[in-house]
Amino acid sequence: MMEIATFVLILCLSLILTIYNRRQAHALEYMARLEEDRAAREIRDRREHKAGQLLLEPLHWLENMVNPLLEAPLSLTDTAKRVVPEVGTIELRSGDGRRLLVSTQALPDLRRYDRQVHRTNGKGAAARLSEFAATPLLGRSWRVWNAPRTMSDAGEFFDLEAETVGRSLGLDWGTPTRLWFYVLPA
């Protein structure tokens, strides 16, 4: 008889501990969600505050993004020479004649765009003339230096800064989480 009473007591204690542990687990999960929400609000507030204070010089910002990655730094001399919204690309010139392309698209996408644009769509003289007059984004060279920049290597506010720079150069590429920088020889 004593063994059955002990067994029932152990079952009751196990049941009570299980119920208590589940309640405690739910309370801890709730606290974790509250902490995540608080951290998200702090990040959102910090980003909104930064977005209100963004006054960037576009060429200087682009130089700061690409020059640490280059052996010979660029000195950008003019605003956007060409804007290609179809592939989210801006073309700029440096003082030494090199071209800088800043794009939301990777290299294969830009090559595909160049091939599509420069295909003759008709047999008429106007089509051949427009194909001849069009300058490919990547030029005739297959050797193109390129590197991506992201929020993880360029800072927490990279997307907000990139959006501001893009708009000031005449291209709305939204808040990109990644930009590709292409440097083409002179």
Side-chain angles (χ1 to χ4, degrees):
M1 188 73 161
M2 187 66 150
E3 293 136 358
I4 294 175
T6 305
F7 180 71
V8 170
L9 184 62
I10 290 174
L11 275 176
C12 287
L13 285 174
S14 297
L15 184 61
I16 290 171
L17 283 175
T18 301
I19 292 171
Y20 176 74
N21 285 342
R22 283 194 179 194
R23 281 185 172 174
Q24 191 173 17
H26 287 296
L28 288 173
E29 288 173 356
Y30 177 73
M31 291 304 294
R33 280 195 305 274
L34 284 178
E35 179 58 26
E36 287 173 356
D37 291 346
R38 184 196 59 78
R41 279 192 308 274
E42 283 181 7
I43 290 170
R44 186 187 64 230
D45 292 344
R46 190 169 56 238
R47 289 175 60 82
E48 287 174 356
H49 180 71
K50 177 71 173 184
Q53 294 179 339
L54 279 179
L55 298 173
L56 296 172
E57 171 57 41
L59 299 180
H60 182 67
W61 185 84
L62 291 169
E63 288 172 356
N64 287 340
M65 287 291 119
V66 75
N67 282 343
L69 306 172
L70 295 172
E71 292 176 12
L74 288 173
S75 174
L76 299 174
T77 57
D78 61 358
T79 56
K81 179 180 181 220
R82 179 166 54 161
V83 176
V84 184
E86 294 85 12
V87 285
T89 303
I90 297 172
E91 178 184 348
L92 301 128
R93 289 259 182 211
S94 71
D96 59 3
R98 291 182 288 174
R99 292 187 307 146
L100 173 68
L101 297 178
V102 183
S103 180
T104 57
Q105 303 295 316
L107 186 61
D109 298 328
L110 290 184
R111 290 198 194 286
R112 192 174 313 110
Y113 173 78
D114 274 349
R115 281 194 306 271
Q116 287 173 352
V117 167
H118 296 95
R119 229 179 257 151
T120 304
N121 294 330
K123 296 184 179 182
R128 286 193 304 269
L129 182 61
S130 68
E131 178 186 354
F132 176 75
T135 306
L137 280 173
L138 298 172
R140 303 285 179 217
S141 171
W142 282 91
R143 292 177 32 127
V144 175
W145 178 92
N146 70 79
R149 295 300 298 257
T150 63
M151 289 176 71
S152 63
D153 62 13
E156 176 184 357
F157 304 111
F158 171 79
D159 58 337
L160 298 174
E161 294 170 349
E163 177 185 22
T164 302
V165 166
R167 252 191 275 118
S168 68
L169 292 174
L171 181 62
D172 182 20
W173 54 38
T175 53
T177 56
R178 177 181 311 258
L179 285 178
W180 278 267
F181 293 85
Y182 302 93
V183 177
L184 295 103

